[in-house]
Amino acid sequence: MDHTIPDDLVETQREWTATYERLARQPGRTALRRRLYRLSVRLAAYPLSPAERVELRRQARPEQGRT
């Protein structure tokens, strides 16, 4: 892949996933919804192709770890 995904973006994706999972277990939590929204904006603002977005999510999986 030509485009290197920055570590901070991978960490943001990890935080998004963790927040989403917490919100699924605790629906209606305003603070979690706001955090998820802020993280979503950060992720959406970064220019990635669809294939790079898939790679971002792959790298953010817990079993992948940092390289």
Side-chain angles (χ1 to χ4, degrees), residues 7-66:
D7 289 341
D8 63 328
L9 195 61
V10 173
E11 184 59 32
T12 299
Q13 180 65 50
R14 285 184 183 130
E15 291 175 27
W16 186 96
T17 301
T19 302
Y20 184 89
E21 289 171 355
R22 285 182 60 202
L23 187 57
R25 290 189 304 270
Q26 304 171 7
R29 300 287 189 162
T30 300
L32 290 176
R33 286 194 327 264
R34 287 180 180 154
R35 178 159 176 70
L36 189 64
Y37 179 78
R38 283 192 304 272
L39 292 168
S40 295
V41 168
R42 245 190 262 165
L43 289 168
Y46 201 87
L48 294 174
S49 71
E52 290 168 328
R53 291 212 180 269
V54 169
E55 178 62 17
L56 170 63
R57 286 189 289 277
R58 187 193 68 75
Q59 287 184 25
R61 283 188 216 136
E63 67 272 10
Q64 292 299 316
R66 288 202 152 166

